[in-house]
Amino acid sequence: MAAEREPPPLGDGKQADFEELEDGEDLFTSTVSTLESSPSSPEPASLPAEDLSTNSNGPKPAEIILDDDREDLFAEATEEVSLDSPEREPILSPEPSPAITPITPTTLMAPRIESKSMSAPVIFDRSRDEIEEEANGDVFDIEIGVSDPEKVGDGMNAYMAYRVTTKTSLSMFNKNEFSVKRRFSDFLGLHSKLATKYLHVGYIVPPAPEKSIVGMTKVKVGKEDSSSTEFVEKRRAALERYLQRTVKHPTLLQDPDLRQFLESSELPRAVNTQALSGAGILRMVNKAADAVNKMTIKMNESDAWFEEKQQQFENLDQQLRKLHASVEALVCHRKELSANTAAFAKSAAMLGNSEDHTALSRALSQLAEVEEKIDQLHQEQAFADFYVFSELLSDYIRLIAAVKGVFDHRMKCWQKWDDAQITLQKKREAEAKMMLANKPDKIQQAKNEIREEIEEWEAKVQQGERDFEQISKTIRKEVGRFEKERVKDFKTVIIKYLESLVQTQQQLIKYWEAFLPEAKAIA
Amino acid sequence: MTTLTEIKLLPTLILLVSCEYLAIFKKTVAMHEVFLCRVAAHPILRKDLNFHVFLEYNQDLSVRGKNKKEKLEDFFKNMVKSADGVIVSGVKDVDDFFEHERTFLLEYHNRVKDASAKSDRMTRSHKSAADDYNRIGSSLYALGTQDSTDVCKFFLKVSELFDKTRKIEARVSADEDLKLSDLLKYYLRESQAAKDLLYRRSRSLVDYENANKALDKARAKNKDVLQAETSQQVCCQKFEKISESAKQELIDFKTRRVAAFRKNLVELAELELKHAKGNLQLLQSCLAVLNGDT
């Protein structure tokens, strides 16, 4: 947290409170809004032109004011991308768009300190409560909508294009409202890029919606029936939720790839996301390798917190899956009920027609009408069952898989560190042995070599330890944020779902109250 | 953990099973009552000795079920009847009333059959949905007991809600079954019985017409005239008698049908209302608690 680095003018007493804020980034993003609003905040003109937007809509101090943590992150990111290190998922080399150059820490350091010192008094003058409130509340003034699915092309090469509309007041974007057309593989590409950059350092990257060969084939073939419209709608809603979740993440929101995805009208096609592409197969192989690897890593867990959390997530995963299965069954039965009610309505209408007693005949027709309306009601309720409740559960099941992935990365990180320590130990032993042996001619050169190697491995051990601590720290923060989001999400969804049930019952009451006098009127 | 949940749910399980039993019991009782009331209301059947014995004898009746031979007899009788029915139904009836009744009953019977089947399916779907609520409730309970954040209160409250809602939904299904499905099933059988009555009358009409033809032939040949005359008279009497009682029965059938439908539809609507209101209240009070928490 920056509070630890640059001594805040507030003094030590307030430091503890800053640590309460779970996300340092939150603080700084709120800084953005303060900076934006206060006319006195200077727009540091010295910001580098490599800034991520092409127009001069003012500099964006937000992304510049980085946590030290994130500096390290990007250093590593640029490093790792060039090396083909095995533990990184070589999903794809993030296709660098020409408009964007990777952020390098050095260029960011200078302006940061400048603007920080200028703006520092502005932040710290505000009351702590305000800042906390903003940090915990909806500071991310950005709304994403995915709409208007449109079929593009014909036959097996056809695809659905979705309109992604962003409404925001954040200055990091060029405009306040803009929209672009994206296809499903674009979303997968975005996720891929984000996962590559952030998963292995402990950030929980929201997973993209799942592919469905069956569903898409139906759409491509051009079947205009209700199941393919349902499929498209399900996908559209899932894509919307995916983006909304992604932009809620303060770190991911700053990512240039995300911004490019939302803003630029042309996006290079992410071909490596196809399941059967070379990259896809490589992915599958890596996944399998990872699974095996996981079983063989034996980590000395020094921190009980991690063990506890992992167990908790395991339990949560199991329970959510069970609940999801039950809710899916409910959706299915409700749809059945709706269909059966519709069939009954028709049948009752026919019966009413044959009935030769006039009043009874009319009552039966009324019954048929009531049942028809009720069938509609059931359909709508099934809709709510699914989109409100069931989809949330499946989203969270996938999210928890991402969380588990992050824990796994930490283990791998530990292993790397451990391996480095072991190698270092071996080298040291080799050196010691060499010292004891007496071969004067070879010894000097060999000694130098070994010395060099030892130094190299000492550095690696240090780096490994730093990485491990970093990822552990990040995970703690991320899990805290995740849990908060989870609680909020579930509370909101449960209330929304119950409200849908309330509506259904209210309608039912209306319908039966209208029917009752008709039934009584039979004479 | 699962065993603990199961143990906690045991009393609910017992209640569920007894609710089911009660629902089925209610159904059977209702049907029997309707049957007995009908017999008692019938001018002729009410005088039947068997009926009196049934109502009064205070010891075990030990009714013997049909043995294999009798069941086989029944089967053949049915076969003959349906074959004959096809032949007989070809005969046109001079009497408008009966002609109308025949067309009406044919169509009505088929449509009641269809409605009865669809109503059954609808009721069953309702029950499946109610069962799902049960499972959702227990999953939510498990989630609630495990969760360490304050969303656990939500889970537990909603789990409670689903348990209660489930009972109501099950009753909705049971009531629909009782008031709608059973009603339709009953009238399916009633309309079949009416059709059978019409068949018997048509049968006797055919017999009467055949006797007439035989009489004419006898008179023409001047052979066995007396015999033919008596036979014709017997058929005529039978026919007129059956026509008279059939007419009355069919009129009664209509009256009863209208009354039964009225009673059941009114009761159905009232029960649906009661349950919907009950559900609504549960949902709204749960929402109030949850909203108060956030």
Side-chain angles (χ1 to χ4, degrees):
Chain A
M1 300 256 180
E4 298 161 0
R5 307 278 181 144
E6 341 266 347
L10 283 175
D12 287 307
K14 307 276 175 108
Q15 200 160 3
D17 295 304
F18 275 104
E19 264 152 60
E20 266 170 31
L21 291 170
E22 296 200 59
D23 208 338
E25 278 79 55
D26 277 352
L27 168 62
F28 293 118
T29 322
S30 68
T31 309
V32 176
S33 22
T34 13
L35 285 174
E36 252 54 75
S37 50
S38 66
S40 59
S41 75
E43 316 275 57
S46 56
L47 282 174
E50 63 87 350
D51 207 5
L52 310 138
S53 57
T54 42
N55 83 23
S56 52
N57 190 10
K60 322 226 184 311
E63 62 264 29
I64 310 303
I65 302 176
L66 289 171
D67 223 2
D68 270 7
D69 299 348
R70 248 185 305 125
E71 269 180 51
D72 280 350
L73 160 70
F74 284 121
E76 239 185 85
T78 42
E79 218 182 272
E80 300 264 15
V81 168
S82 47
L83 297 171
D84 209 31
S85 44
E87 77 263 18
R88 287 278 321 289
E89 297 167 41
I91 294 178
L92 51 82
S93 42
E95 284 137 8
S97 149
I100 290 180
T101 54
I103 302 174
T104 53
T106 43
T107 40
L108 298 167
M109 270 297 253
R112 171 190 171 196
I113 294 177
E114 278 180 280
S115 49
K116 187 94 196 292
S117 54
M118 287 188 276
S119 59
V122 179
I123 317 171
F124 299 131
D125 274 352
R126 298 168 69 223
S127 73
R128 229 180 318 117
D129 291 328
E130 258 181 61
I131 295 177
E132 246 176 48
E133 213 176 81
E134 266 196 27
N136 294 335
D138 210 316
V139 192
F140 307 107
D141 186 5
I142 175 167
E143 258 176 61
I144 309 258
V146 174
S147 58
D148 309 320
E150 209 178 15
K151 186 166 164 199
V152 177
D154 261 321
M156 284 317 283
N157 288 327
Y159 63 90
M160 292 304 278
Y162 302 87
R163 178 172 295 283
V164 177
T165 312
T166 314
K167 290 200 187 100
T168 176
S169 63
L170 293 174
S171 62
M172 72 170 81
F173 293 99
N174 295 337
K175 299 185 247 175
N176 280 354
E177 203 172 316
F178 46 90
S179 75
V180 292
K181 282 273 195 189
R182 294 281 180 256
R183 54 186 289 189
F184 186 65
S185 55
D186 293 335
F187 288 81
L188 293 181
L190 171 68
H191 172 255
S192 217
K193 289 185 188 155
L194 294 176
T196 314
K197 284 196 240 176
Y198 297 96
L199 263 185
H200 73 289
V201 280
Y203 287 93
I204 301 174
V205 177
E210 281 172 350
K211 288 197 248 233
S212 164
I213 298 178
V214 175
M216 261 330 274
T217 314
K218 276 210 264 187
V219 172
K220 286 187 209 223
V221 164
K223 271 186 91 177
E224 285 289 327
D225 65 355
S226 62
S227 69
S228 54
T229 15
E230 254 183 63
F231 171 78
V232 171
E233 173 54 31
K234 179 176 167 181
R235 180 164 274 196
R236 182 210 65 80
L239 290 173
E240 196 174 82
R241 289 195 309 272
Y242 163 66
L243 282 182
Q244 284 169 340
R245 239 179 229 114
T246 308
V247 297
K248 273 207 208 131
H249 195 298
T251 312
L252 297 180
L253 182 57
Q254 312 284 355
D255 187 277
D257 280 324
L258 176 60
R259 234 173 301 133
Q260 185 194 29
F261 180 88
L262 292 174
E263 277 185 324
S264 63
S265 44
E266 285 298 314
L267 208 61
R269 257 204 77 188
V271 281
N272 285 336
T273 56
Q274 283 166 346
L276 297 177
S277 68
I281 298 195
L282 196 57
R283 263 203 297 281
M284 286 193 267
V285 169
N286 278 326
K287 260 198 191 160
D290 278 349
V292 173
N293 214 3
K294 198 161 77 163
M295 292 192 268
T296 55
I297 294 180
K298 268 209 294 220
M299 181 170 141
N300 301 332
E301 185 58 81
S302 54
D303 195 338
W305 185 90
F306 283 91
E307 229 176 281
E308 215 181 274
K309 280 295 167 189
Q310 265 182 297
Q311 189 56 48
Q312 261 180 33
F313 280 115
E314 194 56 45
N315 291 345
L316 186 62
D317 186 36
Q318 271 179 16
Q319 292 304 333
L320 283 180
R321 278 175 201 271
K322 250 185 16 188
L323 182 59
H324 182 241
S326 305
V327 175
E328 283 205 309
L330 178 64
V331 172
C332 185
H333 287 140
R334 208 132 22 211
K335 283 195 185 152
E336 237 177 61
L337 176 60
S338 160
N340 288 341
T341 310
F344 175 71
K346 285 203 190 78
S347 189
M350 297 280 276
L351 187 64
N353 277 340
S354 332
E355 177 56 68
D356 59 355
H357 186 271
T358 5
L360 180 55
S361 169
R362 206 180 59 233
L364 283 171
S365 308
Q366 302 282 21
L367 179 69
E369 265 178 46
V370 168
E371 293 288 355
E372 210 181 298
K373 290 195 206 137
I374 291 181
D375 133 56
Q376 266 306 107
L377 212 56
H378 285 313
Q379 242 184 36
E380 282 163 19
Q381 183 59 61
F383 207 73
D385 288 346
F386 183 71
Y387 283 101
V388 175
F389 203 4
S390 175
E391 285 284 79
L392 172 85
L393 293 172
S394 70
D395 280 353
Y396 265 89
I397 290 172
R398 285 205 319 276
L399 268 168
I400 289 183
V403 173
K404 287 205 241 179
V406 144
F407 277 97
D408 287 344
H409 276 293
R410 176 174 172 271
M411 271 214 289
K412 281 196 252 177
C413 190
W414 180 88
Q415 188 178 54
K416 193 171 166 202
W417 178 27
D418 194 50
D419 284 346
Q421 280 183 317
I422 290 173
T423 316
L424 177 64
Q425 183 63 21
K426 283 202 199 124
K427 300 280 179 198
R428 282 198 175 136
E429 283 169 6
E431 186 186 45
K433 250 198 243 160
M434 212 174 283
M435 296 300 216
L436 294 176
N438 244 328
K439 289 206 187 117
D441 45 335
K442 290 195 179 161
I443 220 171
Q444 197 46 48
Q445 185 199 26
K447 263 203 209 169
N448 287 341
E449 263 179 42
I450 259 259
R451 240 308 99 188
E452 263 173 40
E453 281 178 9
I454 288 185
E455 275 169 18
E456 185 193 325
W457 282 98
E458 274 176 350
K460 285 198 182 159
V461 166
Q462 270 182 15
Q463 182 64 41
E465 182 173 5
R466 270 207 302 272
D467 287 346
F468 182 71
E469 282 179 3
Q470 183 55 48
I471 196 178
S472 301
K473 199 159 100 169
T474 309
I475 291 181
R476 273 180 189 264
K477 241 179 21 185
E478 283 288 287
V479 166
R481 203 187 68 88
F482 177 81
E483 289 286 87
K484 259 175 65 184
E485 281 292 314
R486 177 170 77 89
V487 168
K488 212 163 71 161
D489 271 351
F490 271 88
K491 281 189 181 180
T492 317
V493 159
I494 286 177
I495 290 188
K496 199 157 156 208
Y497 181 61
L498 291 184
E499 284 174 352
S500 80
L501 290 174
V502 163
Q503 259 227 343
T504 302
Q505 295 302 322
Q506 282 172 332
Q507 284 294 100
L508 271 176
I509 291 177
K510 245 178 52 185
Y511 295 151
W512 287 111
E513 272 179 349
F515 176 71
L516 189 56
E518 293 290 340
K520 288 191 172 159
I522 304 172
Chain B
M1 202 56 172
T2 8
T3 1
L4 188 63
T5 320
E6 280 167 2
I7 291 174
K8 282 206 157 107
L9 293 174
L10 199 59
T12 319
L13 226 72
I14 294 176
L15 194 64
L16 282 174
V17 171
S18 53
C19 277
E20 287 273 322
Y21 180 73
L22 199 64
I24 296 175
F25 185 67
K26 258 167 63 172
K27 228 165 98 108
T28 345
V29 166
M31 300 210 124
H32 288 161
E33 191 178 314
V34 168
F35 169 66
L36 290 175
C37 285
R38 285 233 6 237
V39 175
H42 197 281
I44 301 199
L45 294 177
R46 65 145 62 107
K47 301 192 186 127
D48 190 282
L49 181 62
N50 287 313
F51 186 52
H52 286 215
V53 169
F54 178 86
L55 286 178
E56 292 171 333
Y57 191 58
N58 57 10
Q59 281 166 38
D60 197 15
L61 282 177
S62 46
V63 175
R64 175 176 70 78
K66 291 191 174 168
N67 59 26
K68 258 195 229 164
K69 178 159 167 282
E70 286 167 338
K71 285 197 187 145
L72 207 61
E73 281 175 1
D74 275 348
F75 174 69
F76 278 119
K77 259 197 250 171
N78 267 327
M79 294 277 293
V80 171
K81 189 170 86 166
S82 19
D84 199 25
V86 173
I87 301 170
V88 159
S89 62
V91 178
K92 178 103 171 65
D93 204 324
V94 278
D95 191 330
D96 277 340
F97 174 80
F98 284 104
E99 191 54 36
H100 165 82
E101 283 297 308
R102 193 154 57 161
T103 359
F104 164 73
L105 273 177
L106 204 58
E107 194 187 60
Y108 188 80
H109 176 79
N110 288 332
R111 292 190 177 177
V112 157
K113 196 182 214 155
D114 189 54
S116 170
K118 304 256 162 74
S119 174
D120 265 344
R121 277 213 284 274
M122 184 173 74
T123 319
R124 269 204 299 270
S125 289
H126 239 136
K127 189 158 180 309
S128 305
D131 288 338
D132 289 329
Y133 273 34
N134 196 22
R135 257 168 267 137
I136 293 177
S138 45
S139 281
L140 284 171
Y141 182 79
L143 266 171
T145 46
Q146 271 180 15
D147 203 296
S148 52
T149 64
D150 57 293
V151 79
C152 75
K153 277 183 278 170
F154 265 64
F155 286 145
L156 289 173
K157 200 84 193 63
V158 180
S159 159
E160 203 186 296
L161 169 75
F162 268 78
D163 277 344
K164 297 196 192 132
T165 300
R166 183 261 180 231
K167 293 201 191 100
I168 295 188
E169 290 290 326
R171 274 208 281 274
V172 168
S173 163
D175 286 337
E176 276 180 2
D177 192 29
L178 198 60
K179 300 293 170 192
L180 200 52
S181 303
D182 281 353
L183 172 74
L184 293 167
K185 251 191 285 237
Y186 190 79
Y187 275 92
L188 175 65
R189 292 210 299 274
E190 277 277 294
S191 55
Q192 182 62 48
K195 274 168 71 179
D196 289 345
L197 175 60
L198 278 184
Y199 157 74
R200 287 196 296 280
R201 181 183 165 275
S202 296
R203 176 81 256 162
S204 109
L205 175 61
V206 166
D207 290 343
Y208 180 34
E209 285 179 356
N210 287 341
N212 270 335
K213 285 196 206 126
L215 180 59
D216 286 342
K217 253 209 294 201
R219 283 196 178 137
K221 286 193 193 161
N222 212 353
K223 190 176 157 195
D224 295 322
V225 174
L226 193 59
Q227 197 180 19
E229 272 183 354
T230 7
S231 155
Q232 190 254 27
Q233 263 189 3
V234 164
C235 284
C236 176
Q237 269 175 2
K238 254 176 94 175
F239 174 67
E240 285 177 355
K241 190 150 185 284
I242 199 176
S243 291
E244 195 187 309
S245 69
K247 194 164 194 168
Q248 193 53 49
E249 289 283 307
L250 287 170
I251 292 174
D252 284 347
F253 173 58
K254 182 160 169 180
T255 327
R256 269 185 296 107
R257 182 172 79 242
V258 172
F261 268 78
R262 181 187 191 282
K263 174 171 181 283
N264 278 309
L265 288 178
V266 166
E267 284 174 359
L268 174 72
E270 286 175 344
L271 283 167
E272 295 268 6
L273 265 174
K274 174 171 145 200
H275 294 319
K277 288 186 178 155
N279 254 336
L280 183 63
Q281 202 211 24
L282 278 176
L283 285 165
Q284 282 174 329
S285 65
C286 182
L287 264 173
V289 170
L290 294 181
N291 275 323
D293 257 357
T294 38

